[in-house]
Amino acid sequence: MTTNEMWGGRFARGPAAIMEAINASIDFDRRLYAQDIAASKVHARMLANRGIISQADADAIARGLDAIKTEIDQGKFTFSRALEDIHMNVEARLKELIGDAAGRLHTARSRNDQVATDFRLWVRDSIDAMEAGLAAFQRALVKKAGAHAATVMPGFTHLQTAQPITFGHHLLAYVEMAARDRARFQAARRTTNENPLGSAALAGTSFPLDREATSRELGFASAMRNSLDGVSSRDFALEYLSACAIMATHLSRLAEEVVLWSSPAFGFVRLSDAFSTGSSIMPQKRNPDAAELVRAKCARVTGALVTLLGVMKGLPLAYAKDMQEDKEAVFDATDSAALALAAMTGMVEDMQPNEIAMRRAAGEAFSTATDMADWLVRVLKKPFREAHHITGRIVAMAEARKCGLADLSLGELQSVEPGITADIQSVLSLDASVASRTSFGGTAPDRVREQVRYWQEQLK
């Protein structure tokens, strides 16, 4: 086996097969090729502008890099594991295309600051794509919420029927979660958007670089101020993964609800064939496989965050080869999160609520009991704790008679609390209960429509 020429003369023998297998990252870091080529072009242009390399060499490097990008885009590039990573693969091909001028590209930089730059550019692009996906998810939720601002369904605590709410109100809760997800991605973008290029291996370089120029051309807000931090920090990736993991948790919660809602036991929504599958043995089955897979994909995202935290927690400054393990976790999490987000957006657009089943379920389990207690406080001026106790006795009576609260006669209600009048019936219907929740952020249809209008404006 020949010596890896990129390492130079320090190593007399090439790596053993096992070492090559564990050391190579080209199988996954090839995904950085567009960012690697873009950063290399900017670096070469800066070197020429500073008189560090000739303009002729910079022009040749740019032409060669453009040709390599075209080859990779068209699937014509041959990647070599012997060359370890995307940087060496590109540089080796560049030498084949333009000769010795290719060797001048690596002046005043190291693979350490090169990969840090490429990775930040890749994460920044992924953040922008994830934020756009979240906006589409929000628009789908808002549209469905607007159509069902007054569709009554049960609200749950402890997965037990609590109070009636509207389907639109329920969906808007996820719009709010997605808004915070977007804010987290925006914060991660600010952290990511710093330029490590020029940090070199760890100590900077003696060449007169123009780091402001490379930062400007690559769209970074500024150059990183410490070369050790520039090559060894991966907290930007951790912050990105954290945002992905929290978003994935929100998606998984909605996916779990879709699984429940689409089951015969609930029957709240129906997914079309586009997001359902059948059973190989039971012809009657409609399985919410897309929602179930979203739950599982989201677990992988959380796992990626834990993986990178584990990789980074014990590393002294500066760069260590452990950091090669950062990219697979981020790539996998990005793929899983983006797919889960797209699938969940599609399911929101696709699902059709069963308004009859929702309303029937909302009327079960004495869901307007709180409205009764509130009436006792508001009309009879009872302390809430006393009103709660009175209502509990009335619920027990209705339970014993196997009827709803509204089905009890006035005499039966007065046997528990003599001050009750026929007016109490005005708060015991589902529609009256929902309409009464007019506090800001409440489930009253008018409030839901108000929030729909707000989000429509925000999402333009």
Side-chain angles (χ1 to χ4, degrees):
M1 184 176 293
T2 60
T3 302
N4 186 325
E5 292 182 2
M6 295 296 176
W7 288 357
R10 170 66 178 82
F11 294 88
R13 299 174 58 194
I18 293 175
M19 180 58 191
E20 181 179 291
I22 197 171
N23 195 49
S25 59
I26 189 60
D27 293 342
F28 51 87
D29 71 14
R30 65 179 64 184
R31 292 178 64 161
L32 298 174
Y33 80 89
Q35 290 79 17
D36 189 70
I37 289 171
S40 290
K41 289 175 65 176
V42 167
H43 181 67
R45 187 156 50 246
M46 179 274 296
L47 292 177
N49 289 340
R50 300 293 284 182
I52 299 170
I53 66 174
S54 70
Q55 188 62 54
D57 283 344
D59 291 343
I61 287 169
R63 287 194 301 271
L65 290 172
D66 285 340
I68 292 169
K69 185 175 186 300
T70 299
E71 289 178 357
I72 299 176
D73 287 342
Q74 295 177 352
K76 297 177 180 178
F77 189 92
T78 300
F79 293 97
S80 168
R81 296 190 81 199
L83 292 171
E84 297 182 15
D85 56 33
I86 186 61
H87 323 298
M88 287 186 167
N89 270 263
V90 168
E91 190 172 331
R93 178 58 176 150
L94 186 63
K95 184 176 181 181
E96 292 174 354
L97 291 174
I98 69 169
D100 289 343
R104 294 188 173 88
L105 173 60
H106 209 56
T107 305
R109 77 174 182 183
S110 162
R111 279 192 295 174
N112 294 356
D113 64 339
Q114 189 177 357
V115 69
T117 303
D118 296 352
F119 198 24
R120 282 177 180 267
L121 290 172
W122 193 94
V123 168
R124 191 179 70 186
D125 290 344
S126 298
I127 288 171
D128 292 344
M130 210 69 75
E131 231 226 295
L134 276 166
F137 177 55
Q138 288 180 294
R139 282 191 286 269
L141 288 164
V142 169
K143 182 177 181 180
K144 190 74 71 173
H148 295 281
T151 299
V152 175
M153 69 174 291
F156 297 97
T157 60
H158 308 277
L159 203 55
Q160 306 293 312
T161 300
Q163 293 177 262
I165 60 171
T166 72
F167 188 48
H169 188 60
H170 194 114
L171 295 177
L172 287 176
Y174 286 99
V175 176
E176 299 286 339
M177 294 181 213
R180 294 191 296 274
D181 290 330
R182 292 180 67 184
R184 276 181 283 271
F185 280 115
Q186 290 162 4
R189 196 187 197 283
R190 288 191 293 273
T191 303
T192 300
N193 204 30
E194 297 180 336
N195 183 19
L197 190 60
S199 299
L202 77 162
T205 177
S206 59
F207 289 96
L209 303 183
D210 186 348
R211 297 191 64 204
E212 290 73 22
T214 58
S215 298
R216 185 170 56 251
E217 287 202 57
L218 291 170
F220 286 114
S222 62
M224 297 186 73
R225 294 177 177 273
N226 184 283
S227 59
L228 290 170
D229 184 49
V231 299
S232 65
S233 61
R234 294 297 184 270
D235 51 356
F236 70 93
L238 287 169
E239 193 169 354
Y240 167 63
L241 285 180
S242 178
C244 286
I246 296 171
M247 177 192 74
T249 300
H250 293 154
L251 295 175
S252 188
R253 293 182 74 180
L254 180 54
E256 170 67 9
E257 293 195 308
V258 171
V259 171
L260 291 173
W261 291 346
S262 61
S263 69
F266 279 75
F268 287 0
V269 301
R270 179 182 176 85
L271 293 173
S272 75
D273 293 347
F275 290 95
S276 304
T277 65
S279 166
S280 63
I281 190 173
M282 295 170 284
Q284 83 282 9
K285 292 292 293 298
R286 290 180 61 83
N287 299 325
D289 283 10
E292 292 169 1
L293 287 167
V294 166
R295 287 187 310 197
K297 292 286 185 187
C298 291
R300 291 174 62 167
V301 179
T302 303
L305 172 59
V306 174
T307 294
L308 188 52
L309 285 167
V311 168
M312 297 303 299
K313 70 175 183 60
L315 297 186
L317 295 178
Y319 182 83
K321 193 69 169 183
D322 308 51
M323 293 184 200
Q324 183 168 291
E325 293 298 308
D326 57 3
K327 284 168 282 299
E328 276 191 286
V330 170
F331 293 160
D332 184 74
T334 299
D335 292 344
S336 296
L339 183 56
L341 180 57
M344 210 66 250
T345 302
M347 276 183 276
V348 169
E349 293 171 339
D350 180 79
M351 64 184 179
Q352 295 301 317
N354 183 337
E355 298 182 27
I356 295 173
M358 284 183 171
R359 175 174 283 272
R360 182 171 58 246
E364 296 174 349
F366 314 107
S367 64
T368 57
T370 304
D371 298 274
M372 176 177 283
D374 288 347
W375 185 92
L376 294 171
V377 170
R378 189 170 55 252
V379 177
L380 300 187
K381 309 303 180 184
K382 299 285 187 183
F384 182 79
R385 286 302 172 200
E386 182 181 349
H388 186 284
H389 180 71
I390 292 168
T391 302
R393 291 173 59 195
I394 293 172
V395 167
M397 177 189 294
E399 198 169 33
R401 286 163 172 67
K402 295 183 171 54
C403 68
L405 295 177
D407 299 320
L408 293 171
S409 68
L410 181 60
E412 288 172 316
L413 295 173
Q414 289 175 338
S415 70
V416 177
E417 169 49 59
I420 291 176
T421 67
D423 178 65
I424 201 170
Q425 290 292 340
S426 66
V427 302
L428 297 183
S429 74
L430 295 175
D431 292 318
S433 173
V434 167
S436 72
R437 306 296 168 181
T438 56
S439 59
F440 182 78
T443 194
D446 286 345
R447 282 300 198 183
V448 173
R449 295 185 185 100
E450 177 183 79
Q451 291 302 314
V452 166
R453 290 192 295 272
Y454 169 82
W455 281 111
Q456 287 173 334
E457 185 65 27
Q458 294 297 310
L459 293 166
K460 281 183 179 178

